[in-house]
Amino acid sequence: MYDFVVVGVGPPGARFARRTAEAGYDVLALDKGAIGEPLACSGHVSTDIWAFTGEGAREQLFQNAVYGARFHVGGPHSDAYPFYKREVASNVIDRVGLDCHLADLARDAGADVRERRTVTEVTEHRDRVSVVANGPDGAEEYEAKMVAGCDGPRSRVRNQLGLPQPGELLHGVLAFSSEADSQDFVDVHLTPPTFFAWRIPRGEAGVEYGLAAPPGVHVNKHFQDLIDGYEVDVSHRCSGAIPIGPPGRITTRRAFLIGDAAAQTKPFTGGGILYGMTSADHAACEIDPDRPSTLAAYEYAWRQDLKREVELGHWLRRAYSLPEPVQRIGLGALSGEIGVHMDRPTSLVSPTHLKAVLSRLRG
Ligand SMILES: Cc1cc2nc3c(=O)[nH]c(=O)nc-3n(C[C@H](O)[C@H](O)[C@H](O)COP(=O)(O)OP(=O)(O)OC[C@H]3O[C@@H](n4cnc5c(N)ncnc54)[C@H](O)[C@@H]3O)c2cc1C
């Protein structure tokens, strides 16, 4: 019997597998595909990412450094409202490479990471959990003291255990043009209803164009408008779901969710790599597989850490739905140098941000 079976080896699953294996637990991690594939993510992250990686990661994964974002109320030719920092605000990284790197760290720590295993059934018993997976040689059954559902926005583990769904599932699309671009600004277009479209320069890896919006919005039409506006040819189109709004409960007696399965994402960008891995650390720190009561400590710890960020993130997102003239006035008044951390909206009231605003006002 394993201490933990981890279902899904994206960043939070790999992080949890690594940290628990390092702590001496017997860990099996299963992923339905090849690690990192298919790609459905921009890999645009704060520089905090490098606290979660190992040796040589930056050289291997880094694509571009970003200092700020130009916001637009309309398409590519509309007015730009820049928000920027004096130092690097974020990095664009190779997301498939990140997943492979994090899975290797989990393996090095002693976790048994197996690809091409699709988990189909999760059954909780009083003293254990059984997990059935379809592998290359047919069905396999495993037993564990606990199961970590790290299997993304449409989590099978969540559904099997009857845990509540995230508040919302946005539909995201991405595609790439091939010209090298190392500009230090991303562009954000507040054109699709309640969310946004983007352009991300990825250095030698080309330029990414993307968009996310709620169900019912004509994502393909908005995406085509974006591409036409930039007058580019794109390829390697891909898409994925973005969960927003964590459900009220993400644990049962012997199972728990981490990452997109638990909607541990930023409501104003959909980014979930850092929140998922931060929550994985809380899970690894709090959960003892021999003491199911410790699951409550995990619920408490990650919510304490991220609750205010998520709440404020919901408020920021509301600004995407303001009438255009109000958006223009707001963006015009607030644009300029900022001191905000991209994962921590509460830093809007930090001394760093206030200093940046004051220095701007002084001219
Ligand atoms: C278009 C788009 C752009 C994004 N851009 C960014 C960004 O720039 N920055 C950022 O921070 N976040 C971004 N995100 C969000 C980010 O991709 C997710 O928050 C992050 O991938 C969450 O990791 P996860 O491991 O929880 O889920 P996933 O990355 O979805 O990984 C889940 C894993 O579980 C596996 N799995 C699923 N079901 C099963 C099963 N039944 N059995 C076994 N394995 C299974 C999958 O194969 C996968 O490897 C974006 C998302 C989208 C859709």
Side-chain angles (χ1 to χ4, degrees):
M1 163 131 71
Y2 291 95
D3 289 309
F4 294 104
V5 168
V6 180
V7 183
V9 191
R15 178 75 181 175
F16 180 77
R18 173 188 174 189
R19 295 297 305 274
T20 46
E22 281 169 351
Y25 290 116
D26 205 359
V27 182
L28 172 69
L30 305 171
D31 200 284
K32 72 176 178 187
I35 303 286
E37 291 172 11
L39 173 73
C41 176
S42 308
H44 179 218
V45 284
S46 71
T47 52
D48 291 2
I49 190 70
W50 307 118
F52 291 87
T53 53
E55 219 174 295
R58 199 173 185 285
E59 294 69 40
Q60 193 193 327
L61 305 174
F62 173 86
Q63 292 178 335
N64 196 19
V66 173
Y67 284 74
R70 289 184 290 250
F71 278 77
H72 307 256
V73 172
H77 303 295
S78 63
D79 292 343
Y81 300 91
F83 292 73
Y84 57 89
K85 292 176 92 164
R86 278 180 196 217
E87 71 272 22
V88 174
S90 55
N91 284 172
V92 183
I93 63 168
D94 168 1
R95 169 63 204 267
V96 175
L98 174 74
D99 285 25
C100 295
H101 174 80
L102 295 171
D104 284 344
L105 292 178
R107 284 191 182 101
D108 293 347
D112 180 354
V113 179
R114 300 189 197 172
E115 298 174 60
R116 298 190 172 79
R117 263 71 180 187
T118 303
V119 169
T120 53
E121 281 174 45
V122 179
T123 313
E124 256 186 314
H125 309 281
R126 195 189 54 77
D127 57 344
R128 66 192 197 288
V129 191
S130 35
V131 173
V132 178
N134 272 333
D137 302 319
E140 303 166 357
E141 185 160 353
Y142 304 100
E143 302 227 303
K145 294 175 184 171
M146 287 201 183
V147 166
C150 309
D151 50 344
R154 301 188 192 279
S155 170
R156 173 70 68 107
V157 176
R158 186 179 68 215
N159 294 343
Q160 283 277 300
L161 297 170
L163 281 165
Q165 303 291 317
E168 200 182 355
L169 268 192
L170 304 180
H171 179 192
V173 288
L174 299 176
F176 303 86
S177 63
S178 57
E179 75 281 9
D181 188 339
S182 297
Q183 276 189 71
D184 44 22
F185 271 76
V186 298
D187 287 280
V188 175
H189 300 274
L190 303 177
T191 40
T194 82
F195 220 68
F196 60 83
W198 61 86
R199 178 188 188 277
I200 301 179
R202 310 191 69 95
E204 294 297 315
V207 179
E208 176 192 311
Y209 299 85
L211 167 79
V217 171
H218 291 293
V219 165
N220 290 340
K221 187 197 165 295
H222 283 281
F223 191 66
Q224 197 54 49
D225 289 346
L226 181 77
I227 299 306
D228 292 346
Y230 275 106
E231 297 174 37
V232 285
D233 289 324
V234 291
S235 62
H236 299 96
R237 192 172 163 137
C238 49
S239 68
I242 300 179
I244 304 283
R249 190 164 64 94
I250 57 154
T251 57
T252 61
R253 182 173 157 76
R254 289 193 171 270
F256 52 97
L257 308 175
I258 316 177
D260 275 18
Q264 289 160 336
T265 59
K266 293 184 275 182
F268 63 109
T269 67
I273 297 174
L274 267 307
Y275 280 15
M277 285 204 285
T278 301
S279 302
D281 280 357
H282 285 302
C285 183
E286 301 295 342
I287 299 172
D288 175 346
D290 290 310
R291 293 173 54 221
S293 62
T294 55
L295 288 176
Y298 163 55
E299 278 275 19
Y300 182 78
W302 83 266
R303 286 186 201 273
Q304 270 300 104
D305 189 4
L306 298 178
K307 190 168 168 250
R308 286 187 60 224
E309 307 299 345
V310 171
E311 277 169 7
L312 200 51
H314 279 293
W315 278 102
L316 289 178
R317 182 174 167 208
R318 287 189 185 113
Y320 303 158
S321 304
L322 292 170
E324 274 187 33
V326 181
Q327 285 180 334
R328 281 202 186 87
I329 293 166
L331 289 169
L334 298 172
S335 63
E337 190 187 339
I338 54 168
V340 179
H341 187 294
M342 73 182 268
D343 297 330
R344 299 269 168 192
T346 52
S347 58
L348 272 166
V349 288
S350 67
T352 324
H353 181 56
L354 294 177
K355 219 166 102 189
V357 172
L358 283 175
S359 77
R360 199 196 312 161
L361 291 175
R362 279 192 216 109

